[in-house]
Amino acid sequence: MNRTRLLASAGAMAVTACMAGAALAQDKPERAAATSLEEIVVTAQKRTESVQNVPLAVTAMSGHDLVKAGATNIEALQTMVPNLNLGQQLGVARIALRGVGLDNLSTGAEGSIAFHVNGVFVSRSASALSSFYDLDRAEVLRGPQGTLYGRNATGGSINLITRRPDSDFSGYLNATAGNYHRTAVEGAINIPLGEKLAARIAIQTNDRDGYGRNIVTGNDIDDARARSVRASFLYKPGENTELLVVGDYHRENDHANGYHYLGGAGFTAAGQPITPYGLAFGGVVAPSRRDIANEADPVNRREIWGVSADLKHMVDQWTFRSISAYHYTNYATAADLDSTSFQLAPILQSERAWQTSQEFQALYDTDRTHAILGAYYFHESIKGGIADPTNDIIFGGPGVLRQGYFAGGSLKTKAAALFGQVAYKATDRLSLTMGGRYSWERKSIVDLLQFDLTRPYVLGAPVIPQAVCAEDLPSVPGCKPQESWSSFTPRASLDFRLDPNTLLYASVSRGFKSGTYNLGGVQPAIAPETVTAYESGVKAEMFDRRLRANVAAFYYDYKNLQVGKVVGATLLLENAATAKIYGLELEMRARPAPPLEIGLTGSYLHARFDNYVSVDPSRPAGDGVTFDHGAPAFDNAGNTLPQAPNWTLSLYGEYSADLSVGVLTFRGDSSWTDKVYYTAFNRSDVAQKQRAKLNASVNFTTSDKTITVTAFVRNIMDKTYVSNAFVSSALVGFPINGFLEEPRTYGVTLGYSF
């Protein structure tokens, strides 16, 4: 599907919606409620309000919307949110909004997009894939959000809000069976425990065979074995006080997240291609991208759990809130760095993280003034590393697997912030918002780098580092194992209500992501990155709320980008100079007739480096420029930022037919994404070309809404697309390793509600 045809179809759909809406506007007023779009209520600004009244670029999906769209994981959001790009590497979510994202996967790496569950910031990107069930809604805020949220973020925030307990005894159970022998169960039960206390227990299981196999062992890979449970308790001792306590647990134990071989990327200084060493030594790769050829199967083990307590107390126009949380993440993965059947360099990655946070808020609400004042404290301790046992045949040895490479250690973070925002309604139409945030952060490390070709590999053998950066230990010259950073980031916005259904707004804000360390690099700390963001937009509802159209335009001045790359055996992190980002986003939904709903989401993004010169180890000849120390390098000025496609477009249509026994609903979705680069060097062999996807479903719901039956098919054309890729280490001859999106899947879901 080419872009011109898709854009033409989108335009036709939009025109059709407007014309149909205009015709329906002549209907009697009493029909408006039956044909109007669902109002979505959000808490993006820490108060309950319609998403159409929020002067921010925010996309909100109700739990009902997510179920209709078949969104079963966070990756499904990228077809519903403009300029959102999602991928993963070794089970770690790579989230980018408007070109601002995560480009470092070393131990302790933290993304530029804040991820929240029930108001609690979750630091580890490996945890972002575990909470997508029994949701009340999902909110995605684009742009810096430091004046509203405890944890600062340069790119935006993803907020998942789970369903709260209430006073009714109710519940549901959904069971799914599909291809690849998939079986999945999701359910919840709501239990009132007296007049003041209620509980809700939710579960999710997901099991399936692999999307591919390891042709060496014959076993499935990219399978799933996951279990999740969440318990929520809501206590209301009085009319003005409530306490919400939520505990959750998630685990996985399968053979997912292995590397797929995507080709060779290395060249000599003379420009001759390098054969990846696993192939040069007699190994093979799988003929199909879905399969792998590794001497051992991939391993994915993770355990994630946490508990939070959200206490609210209201006094007149004031609401005082305390959010306390603890979160634990432990994961271990095993893959194959050379991606061949030759035992050259298996890769083992593990991370354990303990996180505590405390946030206090004071909110003030009147007819004309909405204010929030907050204080936030965050502490995290992380231990882990990446190990690459190395076959000494690479260096002319007899072919013994040695202890090889290890990069890791421990990282501790302490952060504190004061933040606040005041929105004042100067007139019935005009409002002014001012806010600011002061952030302070300190990181300390024990940074270890080992490259040991003397000891045979033994799992669990102690690390004997060749380079260390740590307090109270002999360290490399220039090592500074502790750094602190601070920043003040303001925000100002103006919004004007053109009429009761049309909101215009403009804002300027700054975002700050603290400096950090790249464990294993044994290098100085990386400087903070900052974004100055300018945004304007319009939110409108027309024809008795049968047509909704939101448009946002933005411009970012992005400085000191934290960019990662593989150098030799080490993943290094460096500050790219600057980037300029601007774009346009459109979200439309229409209900031109009571049984029909259609929607369109589109975005244009221009995300380019201004001046970024860097060495590409896999192409030592460079492109004619030299780095600071004289090495041949590449001038990346004008290159597109990773995970920042120029164009994206998504469409859906839904038609419901009333039957005597219930409602039958047909739904179709399509999405198209422009070319995505996964490296700052904009290599076409480390990218995904333009891609299109089609999904469809049929749902039947009984008249009493107790029983549902849904048949679905996703990725109808069964295309194999790359969700992330990178050029691997010089140790193994620069193969390209990647991860794939799901193939065609189909199945049936039976649901029962009471």
Side-chain angles (χ1 to χ4, degrees), residues 294-366:
N294 295 168
E295 66 274 11
D297 296 325
V299 173
N300 174 52
R301 307 280 189 274
R302 64 191 64 223
E303 181 182 28
I304 301 164
W305 61 270
V307 62
S308 65
D310 185 351
L311 176 64
K312 293 181 183 178
H313 180 68
M314 291 168 281
V315 180
D316 298 326
Q317 289 85 20
W318 288 91
T319 299
F320 300 96
R321 188 178 184 187
S322 167
I323 305 175
S324 309
Y326 176 85
H327 199 268
Y328 172 79
T329 302
N330 183 12
Y331 78 89
T333 62
D336 194 348
L337 195 64
D338 60 282
S339 293
T340 72
S341 60
F342 190 83
Q343 189 181 55
L344 194 65
I347 179 171
L348 313 169
Q349 181 167 342
S350 64
E351 186 177 281
R352 297 178 69 191
W354 302 262
Q355 168 193 322
T356 57
S357 62
Q358 176 62 54
E359 183 171 349
F360 294 107
Q361 300 172 7
L363 300 100
Y364 179 74
D365 256 326
T366 67

Side-chain angles (χ1 to χ4, degrees), residues 101-185:
L102 172 64
D103 199 38
N104 174 30
L105 292 170
S106 64
T107 300
E110 187 176 318
S112 299
I113 310 302
F115 185 78
H116 297 87
V117 180
N118 295 323
V120 175
F121 169 73
V122 179
S123 169
R124 299 296 86 217
S125 295
S127 299
L129 306 176
S130 65
S131 302
F132 214 87
Y133 63 102
D134 195 39
L135 293 178
D136 180 73
R137 64 187 182 278
E139 304 172 358
V140 181
L141 289 75
R142 302 184 290 281
Q145 305 298 328
T147 63
L148 288 170
Y149 292 87
R151 190 71 167 153
N152 202 2
T154 48
S157 177
I158 296 178
N159 305 334
L160 301 185
I161 296 90
T162 63
R163 293 178 182 170
R164 292 159 52 99
D166 57 40
S167 58
D168 294 328
F169 180 73
S170 60
Y172 71 93
L173 184 66
N174 298 329
T176 300
N179 60 333
Y180 298 100
H181 295 100
R182 182 187 177 210
T183 58
V185 174

